[in-house]
Amino acid sequence: MAEENGAGSATGQPEGFTPFRVGRFVVYEKIGEGGMAEVFLAQKRTKNGVAQRVVLKRLHVHLAQEPDLAHSLVDEAKVAAHLSSGNVAQVLDLVEHDGTLYIAMEYVEGLDLNHILQLFTRHQLRVPLSFLFHVFTGVLNGVEAVHGVRDEDGRLLRMVHLDITPGNILVSFEGEVKLCDFGIARATAQDILDRTKIQGKFSYMSPEQASGGELTHRSDLFTCGIVLWELLAGRRMYRAKTRADVYRMAVEADVPQLPDRGLPDYEGLHRILARSLRKDPGQRYESAKDFHDAVMDYVHKQGIVLSQIEVGRFLTEHFAEDILMVRNERERLIGSLAPLDS
C-alpha cells in the first residue's frame, strides 16, 4: 500500500478511476492511500482561466464519521495558516463537498523518498552522501518548523508530527525537500485507534508511540533517527518475519547496529544515531535544531557539500526517463479532462 503523500508516483492511473469534481476542483488521479486517508491529484481553474494543480486529501469513508478525525482535518488547515517553511508542503484550503471534507495542499512535482530509494535500487546506484544529507537536513528543518508553530496569539501549539516516514518526505525535481501530512497524526490517540482499528506504521514509531505512552516533540526525533539509520544502511531498520515482531522491536527500541559500509567517521555517525534513538526520550536531542546541528557538524568535518541544485541535477541525470514518465502521464490525464465551467 502506498504511503500518503503530496507528490504522486509513476504508478499511473488506477484501473477504473473516474475523474470527479469537488467544487471548482477536478480530481483526476488517486496518488496515495494510507491507513487514514486517500490522496488525489486535482486541478482548479480560476475565473480568469489560470489552471492550478493541487493535491486533495480526504479521510477514508469509514473514518469520515469519526468526529475527532474530522476535527483533526480542520485543525490541520488552521495550523497550516501559521506555518511557513520551505521544507513543509503548504496546506492551501479546506473544502467541503457533499458532506465530505477535503484538504487542499501544495502540489510538489517530484517523488517521495520511498520511490526515490526504489529508483536507486533499480538503477543499482548508491545514495551519495551529499544527496542523503541534503534530504535529511531538509527533513529536520521541516520538523523544527512544525514543532515551533504558534497560534495567532503567539502561543506555542506544541505540534508533533508522529508520521515521519519516507513516504511523507517529498523531493522535487528541482531538489526541494518537503515534509507533508503534518497535523492529522495528532488525532491518532489510543482511544481512536481502538475504535477505528487503525494500524500504525510500527517500523517508524518511537517506543512511546508504539506502546501508547506520552508523546512529545522528541518522539519525532526518534523517528527521524530511524530515517537517517535507513538512509545510511540502505535497508529497513526494523526487519522481522511478522508484524508482531516489528511491534515488539519498536516498543523495546531494539535498534540494530548500523552496518559499517565504509562511511567516513563511522564512529561519529554511530554517536549521532545513538543519541537520536535512545529509548528514554529525555536522553535524545533537545530539539530538531540540536539534531540538525550535530548532523551539520559531521557534514562540515567530512567536507560534504550540500546543494539543492545538485540534487535536482542528480535526479534529472540518473532518473530522466522516470521523471519524464511521471510528467507525461500527468499531462495526458489533464488533457483528457473536460474544461471546467467558468
Side-chain angles (χ1 to χ4, degrees):
M1 183 167 62
E3 302 283 348
E4 299 169 18
N5 63 69
S9 67
T11 56
Q13 185 77 340
E15 185 177 352
F17 183 89
T18 302
F20 60 95
R21 292 175 183 254
V22 175
R24 290 192 58 80
F25 296 99
V26 172
V27 180
Y28 60 91
E29 184 180 3
K30 183 175 180 178
I31 59 175
E33 181 175 357
M36 296 183 66
E38 298 172 290
V39 183
F40 303 91
L41 199 56
Q43 181 175 269
K44 175 183 178 181
R45 192 179 302 278
T46 63
K47 291 183 178 180
N48 59 10
V50 177
Q52 180 186 20
R53 207 174 303 181
V54 301
V55 171
L56 293 181
K57 178 171 66 177
R58 73 179 181 194
L59 293 172
H60 285 302
V61 174
H62 67 284
L63 299 178
Q65 303 307 313
E66 287 289 333
D68 291 334
L69 292 177
H71 291 159
S72 75
L73 207 64
V74 176
D75 289 342
E76 180 172 354
K78 289 180 178 178
V79 169
H82 306 288
L83 201 162
S84 178
S85 169
N87 293 115
V88 175
Q90 300 298 298
V91 173
L92 306 174
D93 199 1
L94 189 66
V95 182
E96 184 174 0
H97 181 73
D98 289 342
T100 300
L101 286 173
Y102 293 80
I103 190 164
M105 300 182 292
E106 170 189 10
Y107 170 70
V108 180
E109 189 182 25
L111 302 169
D112 67 55
L113 187 56
N114 252 340
H115 194 157
I116 290 172
L117 295 178
Q118 290 169 8
L119 290 177
F120 272 103
T121 300
R122 185 188 308 165
H123 291 267
Q124 298 182 324
L125 294 170
R126 188 166 179 173
V127 183
L129 290 181
S130 56
F131 186 103
L132 184 159
F133 285 113
H134 170 77
V135 172
F136 187 69
T137 53
V139 170
L140 288 177
N141 285 335
V143 171
E144 181 184 358
V146 171
H147 290 174
V149 69
R150 296 176 181 272
D151 64 16
E152 59 272 12
D153 297 321
R155 292 173 297 195
L156 190 66
L157 291 175
R158 301 191 182 281
M159 194 76 180
V160 185
H161 191 290
L162 302 182
D163 197 18
I164 301 166
T165 68
N168 284 336
I169 298 167
L170 312 178
V171 184
S172 78
F173 298 144
E174 283 71 45
E176 301 165 296
V177 179
K178 292 181 181 284
L179 186 64
C180 69
D181 268 4
F182 67 95
I184 195 167
R186 296 181 70 199
T188 57
Q190 192 60 47
D191 61 330
I192 301 176
L193 286 171
D194 291 341
R195 286 188 283 110
T196 60
K197 308 300 182 185
I198 299 171
Q199 294 185 332
K201 306 166 187 139
F202 295 129
S203 296
Y204 295 97
M205 284 188 180
S206 64
E208 61 269 22
Q209 185 177 1
S211 62
E214 181 182 0
L215 303 174
T216 71
H217 69 285
R218 292 187 179 184
S219 303
D220 282 343
L221 303 187
F222 188 98
T223 307
C224 287
I226 295 177
V227 172
L228 178 57
W229 193 102
E230 294 185 348
L231 285 171
L232 293 169
R235 68 171 179 84
R236 295 289 285 269
M237 190 176 86
Y238 290 141
R239 295 199 300 188
K241 293 182 179 179
T242 67
R243 183 175 175 82
D245 287 337
V246 174
Y247 172 73
R248 177 194 57 77
M249 295 175 74
V251 169
E252 297 176 1
D254 186 6
V255 179
Q257 182 78 13
L258 178 70
D260 189 348
R261 305 176 69 201
L263 297 168
D265 189 14
Y266 171 85
E267 292 301 324
L269 282 174
H270 178 74
R271 286 192 298 272
I272 291 171
L273 283 168
R275 185 170 179 188
S276 66
L277 295 171
R278 300 285 188 195
K279 185 175 183 180
D280 180 357
Q283 295 180 4
R284 298 172 200 158
Y285 289 102
E286 295 274 344
S287 65
K289 182 181 184 303
D290 288 340
F291 195 171
H292 180 277
D293 290 346
V295 171
M296 287 305 299
D297 183 60
Y298 171 86
V299 166
H300 290 148
K301 286 180 178 178
Q302 303 308 317
I304 301 170
V305 179
L306 307 186
S307 168
Q308 176 182 317
I309 294 175
E310 288 304 316
V311 166
R313 187 173 296 162
F314 183 93
L315 287 174
T316 303
E317 178 181 348
H318 292 279
F319 308 135
E321 290 185 6
D322 302 275
I323 292 172
L324 188 61
M325 180 171 62
V326 172
R327 285 177 168 163
N328 286 346
E329 181 65 11
R330 296 282 184 261
E331 296 307 318
R332 185 189 69 78
L333 290 169
I334 291 174
S336 68
L337 296 177
L340 281 166
D341 298 330
S342 57

